[in-house]
Amino acid sequence: MSKIKAAITGVGGYVPDYILTNKELETMVETNDEWITSRTGIKERRILKGESQGVSVMGIAAAKDMLAKTKTDPKEIDAIIFATVTPDMTFPATANLVATAIGATNAFSFDMGAACSGFIYALATGASYIQSGMYKKVIVIGGDKMSSIIDYTDRTTCIIFGDGAGCVLLEPTTEDVGVMDWELRSDGSGEQFLHMKAGGSRNPASTETIAKREHYVYQAGSAVFKFAVTNMADISAQVAERNNLNAENITWLAPHQANKRIIDATAQRVGISDEKVMMNIERYGNTTAGTIPLLLWDYEKQLKKGDNILMAAFGGGFTWGAVYVKWAYNG
Ligand code: UT7
């Protein structure tokens, strides 16, 4: 009997309408379009506006988009995993809210926090559920409302991040397609370089934490940059090599969209030319767990059955990893 693999059988996505351009940022902090474009590759990002609009709004829209496109009955969904660091609330899990909103009344659902690597962590988890033979339809969502934890007076972080969410549907297959391999890593000593200090159980919200602006992302940009460049490139090369993937047979690199210079370094290390690198950082910026599913959403029409896709991410924790996916359908 052939081994069960988890095929990605559908993709959904959602980005909010509001576009925060580099020009508008110039009016908010001491920065300029030339610096942002040359140092990061970002031109604009999307922002979810409005009262009481959490990341669930985008996750629900992405999941509904995918269900409509794949004509899937939400009652058949077994599990929903939502990768995010900006849940609507600490609890209940945002995935619980999504499950109810889309009518996935037979699903169990939970959130996963692995920052920018969240989607690939959740993809590997969802794929394991499918491979076990216990579950037949798993939705994996990656999304963040980064604007809710960004300090718009800090020019080193506010220029990078944006809001958005994407998702995939995983189903079993015995064909030679699907999630083929992955390698995931973490190193908690990265905490000092990238974190949100308050709001958790160590430093609960208080007037003092608010006054000290501790409910925002702190990032030591250039230190994170160095770790990201090395680790994302190394782990991509590792997964590529052990699967005999190379510049010729890799169809697409789908890298986390944090900084175009990190993306370029990863592509160079694996020997992949620019036209094979999925990129939308210029339009969405860094949506944390949203970047990779939003790439799949944007590129879906260009994808063909059998395409070799190498996904790679690096982020807070530190967490990082690479996933090799053989695409299962023609876009
Ligand atoms: O996604 C999760 C993981 N995160 C990442 O992977 C992000 C990794 N880091 C980065 O992408 C980059 O470090 C940043 C884009 C955050 C910053 O770029 P950088 O090239 O590392 O800049 P830097 O922090 O080393 O700063 C260089 C200079 C400094 O000025 P001086 O000290 O050389 O005079 C900064 O003050 O650029 C200045 N600067 C800015 N200038 C204009 C920093 N931010 C800005 C800005 N506009 N927005």
Side-chain angles (χ1 to χ4, degrees):
M1 218 174 75
S2 340
K3 204 171 157 252
I4 300 169
K5 289 203 186 67
I8 294 178
T9 54
V11 176
Y14 178 81
V15 289
D17 293 336
Y18 190 86
I19 298 173
L20 175 58
T21 61
N22 289 351
K23 280 271 160 242
E24 186 176 353
L25 279 169
E26 284 178 7
T27 68
M28 297 159 67
V29 287
E30 185 65 43
T31 192
N32 58 77
D33 176 48
E34 200 283 323
W35 192 95
I36 302 172
T37 308
S38 63
R39 304 304 290 168
T40 71
I42 302 167
K43 281 289 192 191
E44 56 191 43
R45 59 298 283 144
R46 301 300 180 102
I47 305 293
L48 184 63
K49 298 265 186 185
E51 289 287 305
S52 302
Q53 302 286 292
V55 72
S56 66
V57 169
M58 300 187 289
I60 291 164
K64 283 184 172 170
D65 176 38
M66 179 279 291
L67 290 171
K69 278 159 60 183
T70 56
K71 300 188 174 58
T72 302
D73 178 355
K75 291 199 171 46
E76 288 177 8
I77 301 297
D78 298 305
I80 300 175
I81 311 173
F82 199 139
T84 187
V85 289
T86 51
D88 281 32
M89 291 169 276
T90 305
F91 76 92
T94 304
N96 306 156
L97 311 177
V98 173
T100 296
I102 66 171
T105 46
N106 296 310
F108 70 96
S109 56
F110 61 95
D111 291 354
M112 187 169 267
C116 296
S117 310
F119 178 76
I120 59 169
Y121 267 55
L123 182 61
T125 307
S128 301
Y129 282 149
I130 297 284
Q131 288 169 5
S132 76
M134 277 185 74
Y135 302 108
K136 301 279 183 281
K137 289 184 200 286
V138 176
I139 300 178
V140 177
I141 307 173
D144 273 293
K145 184 185 172 186
M146 292 308 290
S147 62
S148 65
I149 55 168
I150 290 301
D151 181 352
Y152 286 97
T153 66
D154 173 8
R155 68 176 182 171
T156 64
T157 54
C158 74
I159 50 122
I160 309 180
F161 293 99
D163 303 339
C167 72
V168 297
L169 178 64
L170 294 176
E171 294 184 86
T173 180
T174 50
E175 285 187 59
D176 187 33
V177 292
V179 181
M180 311 296 279
D181 190 20
W182 64 77
E183 186 73 34
L184 303 172
R185 293 289 167 76
S186 65
D187 177 358
S189 66
E191 174 198 351
Q192 61 189 300
F193 303 111
L194 186 49
H195 59 250
M196 192 172 97
K197 201 165 193 167
S201 55
R202 196 195 298 172
N203 297 301
S206 67
T207 46
E208 200 186 334
T209 61
I210 292 170
K212 285 157 89 179
R213 308 183 79 78
E214 289 177 350
H215 295 270
Y216 294 123
V217 171
Y218 166 80
Q219 176 171 259
S222 55
V224 176
F225 185 91
K226 283 185 202 125
F227 282 105
V229 164
T230 314
N231 288 308
M232 216 163 110
D234 282 356
I235 209 155
S236 301
Q238 191 184 339
V239 171
E241 276 158 27
R242 73 183 183 211
N243 289 284
N244 299 315
L245 295 173
N246 51 48
E248 274 73 53
N249 60 16
I250 293 176
T251 327
W252 296 102
L253 177 69
H256 171 52
Q257 308 280 294
N259 186 318
K260 188 173 181 302
R261 291 183 291 142
I262 300 173
I263 297 169
D264 290 346
T266 305
Q268 225 169 21
R269 175 70 191 280
V270 196
I272 296 172
S273 51
D274 287 354
E275 69 276 8
K276 289 182 164 191
V277 180
M278 292 187 190
M279 193 109 72
N280 56 17
I281 192 170
E282 66 284 358
R283 287 180 293 132
Y284 305 148
N286 181 352
T287 55
T288 302
T291 59
I292 294 177
L294 283 173
L295 284 175
L296 299 178
W297 184 56
D298 272 351
Y299 282 77
E300 186 185 18
K301 285 198 171 64
Q302 297 180 55
L303 302 180
K304 294 190 183 58
K305 187 170 181 178
D307 279 358
N308 288 318
I309 303 177
L310 188 61
M311 303 172 180
F314 182 89
F318 294 131
T319 56
W320 66 101
V323 180
Y324 164 35
V325 172
K326 207 183 249 284
W327 201 247
Y329 61 96
N330 293 320

